[in-house]
Amino acid sequence: MNVTEEMVKVAERLTENFVAQTDPKVFVTFYLLTVIYEDLQALEHYGSMQANDFVRGHLHRPWGAETLSGELEAAVSAEAVEVDTAADLVRLTSRGKEMLRYIEGIFRESGFFTSRSRLIRLNNFNHVDDIASMMEALVPTACEHRKTVVELSGIQPGMAVLELGCGTGALTFEAGLFQRVGPDGRLVATDPSTSMLASVRRKRESYNAHWVEVVHGKAERLPFPANTFDSVIGYAFLHLTDMDEALREIARVSKPGGSLITLHPLHFPARNEFFLEWFAPLLKTGGTPRNQDNLPGPDTVPSAMEPHFEIVHLQSLDLEMHYTSPRTVVEFFVGIVDVFEEQMATLPWRARHDMVQQLIKRGEEVCRKYPPESLVEMHPGQFIRAIVRK
């Protein structure tokens, strides 16, 4: 990935905000808990590790190897781990397991795991050149769905419109949102991924759409005054946010009577044999069959909207997902959208990378075993148009 000047500026701004808002003592305490958790989690996952592998950190913390020798000594002193000197193995003790469960409880209650998954997902988004093309390879009707969102939006020329999660601008430009708003209006396209926004800026120039503004931002903390927009719109973005915070912010920046338009995927009960075979390592974590993803249920978004919005149009639809490209499928589901967030969060750094490669290989085997026409699943989706309560 090429690091642009804008990325540097964004990183500087985020760092300044973090330093201004964070108590140094709290930060140091939390950092130490994170370090201890990653060390103990790796030992529990692998059962034992060669002492040399542990202090090199290549299985769980290659970015922090310079401190791992001291961490190992501290963990032995705290009786959290033991070292078998004859075999040169490091193992987790029963006390270490208790410490790990305690820290897990703190992280779960504080929302750390969810925040970390979002940061990983954002980093993965920054490494994707064209998320729209990836989507269309998986969902051939994605382009038509985006155009339908614009057609049903109720957006009129001359309005002030905010687009959230604009990605590379597929809804903004190819689906015709910028034309719907028109040069007498204002369209602000936002996304937390700086690399995505670079693509949007290039498209703005090629379409000569001077009324389109491109702004770096996240839905949970919008950089706009209250009562700014007539309409807020987004395609497949809401499920990737902290929904309560995002909806509160959307309501804040919306004018009285303003609208919110969203199309988002819903939880899918995977039943197809090929899918269960492909993703078995994640669906059976801990020896227990599971079918958990982080996608909302049919009532999740309407319930979250209730405090701030009145729904005026709710429509269920099916998204035809094609599983014929193993690498694209795995990168999208596991690396970018992270529908198996909970399962992947329990894996150490190297194990997460190994899991991705394992799933790609399993996908290749599945695609050889099943005919292409059978590698299709219908995933439920939901379109909502709502009016802000003010």
Side-chain angles (χ1 to χ4, degrees):
M1 179 180 67
N2 294 324
V3 178
T4 66
E5 183 178 350
E6 181 189 5
M7 291 180 186
V8 174
K9 290 180 180 178
V10 169
E12 290 176 346
R13 188 176 72 248
L14 292 174
T15 302
E16 290 171 357
N17 291 341
F18 176 80
V19 171
Q21 298 173 10
T22 305
D23 184 332
K25 292 181 180 179
V26 173
F27 170 72
V28 171
T29 300
F30 198 78
Y31 173 76
L32 291 174
L33 284 175
T34 304
V35 166
I36 295 169
Y37 170 78
E38 289 174 343
D39 290 345
L40 302 185
Q41 178 205 32
L43 288 172
E44 182 175 62
H45 176 80
Y46 291 109
S48 64
M49 295 171 61
Q50 291 288 328
N52 189 50
D53 288 339
F54 183 93
V55 297
R56 287 168 59 197
H58 70 277
L59 293 178
H60 67 301
R61 273 181 50 227
W63 57 88
E66 66 276 1
T67 64
L68 283 168
S69 293
E71 291 168 25
L72 178 57
E73 293 178 6
V76 171
S77 298
E79 299 181 348
V81 305
E82 59 185 9
V83 179
D84 182 340
T85 54
D88 198 32
L89 290 175
V90 181
R91 297 190 185 92
L92 195 62
T93 65
S94 57
R95 177 174 172 80
K97 291 180 181 179
E98 292 175 2
M99 293 173 62
L100 181 58
R101 300 287 88 80
Y102 176 73
I103 296 172
E104 280 179 347
I106 293 175
F107 284 173
R108 200 166 279 113
E109 184 176 343
S110 67
F112 169 78
F113 289 131
T114 300
S115 296
R116 183 177 69 168
S117 293
R118 288 195 184 119
L119 289 172
I120 292 172
R121 185 165 58 232
L122 177 58
N123 178 67
N124 292 338
F125 266 110
N126 276 322
H127 285 78
V128 176
D129 293 328
D130 192 349
I131 187 66
S133 295
M134 180 180 283
M135 276 286 296
E136 284 157 17
L138 298 171
V139 186
T141 57
C143 184
E144 286 74 16
H145 285 308
R146 292 191 195 96
K147 290 179 180 178
T148 299
V149 169
V150 174
E151 291 169 2
L152 296 177
S153 67
I155 292 173
Q156 300 298 319
M159 280 186 168
V161 177
L162 172 65
E163 181 190 355
L164 296 177
C166 66
T168 55
L171 184 73
T172 322
F173 297 107
E174 285 86 346
L177 179 59
F178 83 105
Q179 293 169 318
R180 177 63 65 98
V181 174
D184 293 330
R186 177 193 184 196
L187 174 56
V188 182
T190 67
D191 199 278
S193 169
T194 53
S195 64
M196 298 282 186
L197 293 178
S199 177
V200 177
R201 290 190 178 91
R202 289 192 293 270
K203 287 184 180 180
R204 178 179 60 182
E205 296 305 313
S206 65
Y207 282 93
N208 195 27
H210 61 84
W211 60 96
V212 177
E213 301 172 33
V214 184
V215 177
H216 178 266
K218 54 190 296 188
E220 299 89 343
R221 193 176 300 166
L222 296 171
F224 308 107
N227 305 318
T228 298
F229 297 100
D230 299 297
S231 186
V232 178
I233 188 171
Y235 177 86
F237 85 96
L238 193 56
H239 62 292
L240 300 175
T241 69
D242 181 317
M243 202 173 297
D244 291 334
E245 287 189 21
L247 290 171
R248 187 163 46 246
E249 273 290 89
I250 293 169
R252 181 185 67 80
V253 302
S254 296
K255 296 178 182 178
S259 61
L260 167 62
I261 303 98
T262 170
L263 189 154
H264 44 269
L266 299 178
H267 166 74
F268 57 96
R271 299 188 183 95
N272 282 354
E273 183 179 346
F274 81 83
F275 188 92
L276 298 175
E277 183 176 334
W278 188 337
F279 290 96
L282 291 177
L283 296 173
K284 294 183 178 180
T285 54
T288 303
R290 302 169 68 179
N291 186 32
Q292 295 182 345
D293 55 49
N294 67 349
L295 297 174
D299 298 324
T300 304
V301 176
S303 296
M305 284 186 171
E306 175 61 28
H308 308 289
F309 297 90
E310 177 185 354
I311 295 175
V312 295
H313 184 181
L314 188 152
Q315 180 179 334
S316 299
L317 64 158
D318 288 324
L319 308 173
E320 187 177 282
M321 186 77 69
H322 290 238
Y323 289 81
T324 52
S325 176
R327 183 170 295 276
T328 300
V329 169
V330 174
E331 287 180 352
F332 183 78
F333 274 104
V334 179
I336 297 176
V337 181
D338 199 12
V339 296
F340 298 107
E341 173 185 314
E342 181 182 344
Q343 293 92 321
M344 292 295 287
T346 64
L347 301 177
W349 177 81
R350 172 55 63 186
R352 290 198 295 271
H353 288 264
D354 291 343
M355 176 61 75
V356 168
Q357 296 307 311
Q358 179 187 353
L359 290 173
I360 291 172
K361 290 181 179 179
R362 291 179 71 91
E364 292 170 348
E365 293 170 0
V366 165
C367 288
R368 286 193 293 266
K369 178 178 177 180
Y370 295 88
E373 61 271 16
S374 69
L375 295 172
V376 177
E377 272 212 332
M378 302 305 295
H379 288 211
Q382 189 176 65
F383 171 85
I384 294 179
R385 182 170 180 269
I387 303 300
V388 69
R389 302 178 190 273
K390 283 195 176 182

